[in-house]
Amino acid sequence: MDFRPLFRVAPGARVSLAEINPNAAAVGFDAEDKAAVKSSLERYREEMESFQYRLYADGSKSLLVVLQAMDAAGKDGVIRHVFSAMNPQGTRVQAFKQPTPAEAARDFLWRAHLHAPARGEVVIFNRSHYEDVLVVRVHELVPEEIWRARYEQINQFERLLSSNGTKILKFYLHIDADEQLARFKKRLDDPNRHWKISESDYTERKFWPDYIQAFEEAIEKTSTEESPWYIIPSNQKWFRNLAISQIITETMREMNLTLPMVKVDLEAVRQHYHAAKSQAEKIKQSSL
Amino acid sequence: MDFRPLFRVAPGARVSLAEINPNAAAVGFDAEDKAAVKSSLERYREEMESFQYRLYADGSKSLLVVLQAMDAAGKDGVIRHVFSAMNPQGTRVQAFKQPTPAEAARDFLWRAHLHAPARGEVVIFNRSHYEDVLVVRVHELVPEEIWRARYEQINQFERLLSSNGTKILKFYLHIDADEQLARFKKRLDDPNRHWKISESDYTERKFWPDYIQAFEEAIEKTSTEESPWYIIPSNQKWFRNLAISQIITETMREMNLTLPMVKVDLEAVRQHYHAAKSQAEKIKQSSL
């Protein structure tokens, strides 16, 4: 099943998250599919590894994956369960936290640009430049005219990356407020997760409708042909991982990644090999 | 079996690579052990993932792994087969290639320092600052007095990192010249690997004894208590991966990594949770 047409936000489309069911069942998957899903996931993991190898070898294109979501929606889980399929050589995770003084002293796209993928690389942004139209908007950290101008600035920035060979995929991990609360409860019940708890988990919930509104507008204004947003039903982790793996796999398949052309004269190299081989034999003979 | 005492180079010890057997059989492992090895490797992978999680969560220490070896000895293979066990979030591979102009304009440790692990990170150096006493020495890219001074500069640099909470492990992947030639032959025989072939594979072989000498002296001069070298028999890939995984696992175990202390008042958070829960119930009731 190709989830891309199902979850992709068409350019210019209106987004109403309240109307999108965050449960896997809404798209015909339920808990009984879990075992089948596991084997699909394993197949996608193998394909992703293979495509990433070719991307790395080819060295002319790159892949940028942006993960955004409410707290506890599973950004870290996606990185652990999906991107662990790829070779750590050539795969890089960049987390965007509170800007450092050096970052805050520049425009909001400066640090995103700094961490853009090099040719051959897969880079995952755990949060991203979109924070500057999300948390920044919700908490009114800059005036509206500033954050409102950013949608177009983001589109221009992403077009620049695309035109340079970077494929961009943006995922919004969609959970509902009840699911978030259930996950917070798990943190409370498991002493191994206590260190993750912060009071802001709860204080930020008051802004839930504001965040939803900010996400909706950001997704509407920045889902483009070259740089689409996907809204992934994420109440069920196994389904979320399946859908993202499938979308990445099929996107990379369409990148037509091939191994680079041979750069040397193979016949000359074969002669090098035979010379080296017979020299090695000679040394072995003489040491007998 | 703990490979650490077997393969670690004691500070001040003389190193003669010709006297070290690069075959697994030399330490009592042979091809029949492969199946058992696979299950051990799986166990180490799980432990490494778990220790890396704690290192990341703890955020006060870091791990730096340096990989050095002759061409085709398996640096890339170790990254793929050992470090893929770790979460890409918190694990970073840094490859050291020909210095860029910006790098060449600084001292040789500048770029190594730039890429040093942050607290909480595992960083793998694929080649490293050691190239500046290896290829640089063999090809006489700087005068002897310059590269000779570097051993002590390296020791001071690595002591600085250690004193700041970075655990350092350095691996020399030990293969012999025949094994290298056999691996070059595989590249020639497999069209999928042709793009990796370069003539320098063969021209560099002429310098084999010079490289061995450079490795021996570098290892002798820089294997210290805090920053040891391990010489890993690497003719058999499965054994190489096993030994390195075991050494990393046991080293991380001894770092006594614990999950961070709880930073919040759990009772207050539980009250937050119950307030949020009953509010959610109320909303549900009113919408029925």
Side-chain angles (χ1 to χ4, degrees):
Chain A
M1 180 167 195
D2 190 352
F3 295 113
R4 289 177 297 167
L6 215 53
F7 299 148
R8 183 165 40 206
V9 177
R14 286 273 290 112
V15 174
S16 170
L17 289 171
E19 290 165 31
I20 300 174
N21 189 328
N23 291 296
V27 284
F29 280 77
D30 55 37
E32 283 120 65
D33 296 313
K34 265 174 114 165
V37 162
K38 214 180 156 186
S39 78
S40 300
L41 192 58
E42 206 36 61
R43 189 163 44 80
Y44 290 133
R45 285 176 62 89
E46 281 165 26
E47 288 201 277
M48 279 189 285
E49 190 193 10
S50 149
F51 287 133
Q52 183 251 334
Y53 175 74
R54 284 189 240 169
L55 183 83
Y56 176 77
D58 172 72
S60 75
K61 295 166 194 159
S62 60
L63 177 67
L64 175 61
V65 176
V66 171
L67 299 177
Q68 289 284 171
M70 297 287 191
D71 286 341
K75 298 186 295 297
D76 294 344
V78 167
I79 293 171
R80 183 168 167 224
H81 293 287
V82 176
F83 293 97
S84 58
M86 295 182 178
N87 190 330
Q89 182 151 261
T91 308
R92 184 158 58 85
V93 178
Q94 184 63 44
F96 288 81
K97 306 196 168 161
Q98 193 100 359
T100 64
E103 290 168 350
R106 273 88 176 190
D107 69 85
F108 80 106
L109 289 170
W110 181 79
R111 62 176 183 164
H113 215 158
L114 186 66
H115 299 300
R119 294 192 184 91
E121 259 192 331
V122 175
V123 171
I124 300 104
F125 279 4
N126 184 354
R127 305 182 185 271
S128 68
H129 44 295
Y130 283 94
E131 290 298 320
D132 293 280
V133 290
L134 295 168
V135 62
V136 165
R137 168 182 176 163
V138 168
H139 289 291
E140 302 177 346
L141 304 181
V142 302
E144 175 165 354
E145 67 198 75
I146 301 283
W147 61 252
R148 198 160 276 291
R150 288 179 175 169
Y151 300 125
E152 185 48 28
Q153 290 162 345
I154 288 174
N155 286 336
Q156 288 169 2
F157 169 63
E158 294 182 358
R159 259 198 312 271
L160 172 68
L161 299 188
S162 296
S163 71
N164 195 46
T166 301
K167 186 86 206 156
I168 305 176
L169 291 174
K170 301 178 288 196
F171 295 101
Y172 173 70
L173 313 182
H174 183 38
I175 61 169
D176 55 32
D178 285 350
E179 177 64 21
Q180 186 193 54
L181 201 56
R183 294 185 186 183
F184 285 170
K185 179 74 161 57
K186 273 194 192 142
R187 287 188 189 169
L188 266 169
D189 292 344
D190 178 358
N192 283 330
R193 303 193 206 187
H194 280 174
W195 66 276
K196 285 188 170 186
I197 296 174
S198 88
E199 284 203 53
S200 72
D201 292 352
Y202 297 90
T203 50
E204 284 299 280
R205 272 177 69 88
K206 286 180 214 147
F207 300 99
W208 186 280
D210 301 323
Y211 273 108
I212 292 292
Q213 191 188 14
F215 271 116
E216 286 174 343
E217 190 166 2
I219 293 170
E220 283 172 7
K221 294 268 167 69
T222 64
S223 197
T224 64
E225 216 48 77
E226 319 88 39
S227 181
W229 274 103
Y230 292 89
I231 297 173
I232 307 293
S234 297
N235 272 6
Q236 282 83 36
K237 296 173 184 180
W238 52 270
F239 180 77
R240 169 200 77 197
N241 294 341
L242 175 77
I244 293 179
S245 302
Q246 190 268 337
I247 292 168
I248 290 171
T249 302
E250 296 313 323
T251 301
M252 293 188 88
R253 194 192 311 285
E254 288 179 2
M255 287 173 81
N256 290 317
L257 301 161
T258 50
L259 292 175
M261 304 284 286
V262 183
K263 282 157 302 197
V264 294
D265 174 354
L266 280 179
E267 211 28 66
V269 172
R270 276 198 193 93
Q271 282 167 24
H272 278 306
Y273 170 75
H274 291 299
K277 184 75 184 166
S278 57
Q279 209 202 343
E281 300 291 345
K282 240 179 269 171
I283 292 167
K284 221 168 280 168
Q285 289 297 323
S286 69
S287 69
L288 287 181
Chain B
M1 183 166 191
D2 189 352
F3 295 113
R4 289 178 297 168
L6 216 52
F7 299 147
R8 182 164 40 206
V9 177
R14 288 273 289 111
V15 174
S16 171
L17 290 170
E19 290 165 31
I20 300 174
N21 190 326
N23 292 295
V27 283
F29 280 77
D30 55 39
E32 284 121 64
D33 296 314
K34 267 173 113 165
V37 161
K38 213 179 155 187
S39 78
S40 298
L41 192 57
E42 207 35 62
R43 191 163 42 83
Y44 291 133
R45 285 176 62 88
E46 280 165 28
E47 289 202 278
M48 278 190 286
E49 190 193 11
S50 148
F51 287 134
Q52 185 250 333
Y53 174 74
R54 283 189 241 170
L55 183 82
Y56 176 78
D58 172 71
S60 75
K61 296 168 193 159
S62 60
L63 177 68
L64 174 62
V65 177
V66 171
L67 298 177
Q68 290 283 170
M70 296 289 191
D71 286 342
K75 296 185 296 297
D76 293 345
V78 167
I79 292 171
R80 185 168 166 227
H81 294 287
V82 177
F83 292 97
S84 58
M86 293 180 180
N87 189 331
Q89 181 149 263
T91 309
R92 183 157 58 86
V93 178
Q94 183 63 44
F96 287 81
K97 305 195 169 161
Q98 194 100 358
T100 64
E103 290 169 349
R106 272 86 175 192
D107 70 86
F108 79 105
L109 289 171
W110 181 78
R111 63 176 180 163
H113 215 157
L114 187 65
H115 299 299
R119 293 192 186 91
E121 259 193 331
V122 175
V123 171
I124 300 105
F125 279 5
N126 184 353
R127 303 182 187 271
S128 67
H129 45 294
Y130 283 94
E131 289 298 319
D132 293 279
V133 290
L134 296 167
V135 62
V136 165
R137 168 181 176 164
V138 168
H139 290 291
E140 301 176 347
L141 304 181
V142 303
E144 175 165 353
E145 68 200 73
I146 301 283
W147 59 253
R148 199 159 276 292
R150 288 178 173 169
Y151 299 126
E152 185 49 26
Q153 289 162 345
I154 288 173
N155 286 336
Q156 288 168 2
F157 168 62
E158 294 182 356
R159 259 199 311 270
L160 173 68
L161 300 188
S162 298
S163 71
N164 195 46
T166 301
K167 186 85 208 160
I168 306 175
L169 291 174
K170 301 178 290 195
F171 295 101
Y172 173 71
L173 313 183
H174 183 38
I175 60 169
D176 56 32
D178 285 350
E179 177 65 21
Q180 186 193 53
L181 201 56
R183 294 185 185 183
F184 285 171
K185 180 73 163 55
K186 274 195 191 141
R187 287 188 189 169
L188 266 168
D189 293 344
D190 178 359
N192 282 330
R193 302 193 206 187
H194 280 173
W195 65 277
K196 284 188 171 186
I197 295 174
S198 90
E199 285 202 54
S200 72
D201 292 351
Y202 297 90
T203 50
E204 284 299 279
R205 273 177 68 87
K206 286 180 213 146
F207 299 99
W208 186 278
D210 300 325
Y211 273 109
I212 291 293
Q213 192 189 14
F215 271 116
E216 286 174 343
E217 190 166 1
I219 294 171
E220 284 172 5
K221 294 268 167 69
T222 63
S223 197
T224 64
E225 215 50 75
E226 319 87 41
S227 182
W229 275 101
Y230 292 89
I231 298 173
I232 307 293
S234 296
N235 273 7
Q236 282 83 36
K237 296 173 183 180
W238 53 269
F239 179 76
R240 169 201 77 196
N241 293 342
L242 175 76
I244 293 179
S245 301
Q246 190 267 335
I247 292 169
I248 290 171
T249 302
E250 296 312 322
T251 300
M252 292 188 89
R253 195 191 310 284
E254 288 181 1
M255 287 172 82
N256 291 316
L257 301 161
T258 51
L259 291 175
M261 302 286 285
V262 183
K263 282 160 300 200
V264 293
D265 174 354
L266 281 178
E267 211 28 67
V269 172
R270 275 197 193 95
Q271 283 169 22
H272 279 304
Y273 170 76
H274 290 299
K277 185 73 185 168
S278 57
Q279 209 201 343
E281 300 292 344
K282 240 178 268 171
I283 293 167
K284 220 169 282 168
Q285 289 297 322
S286 67
S287 68
L288 286 181

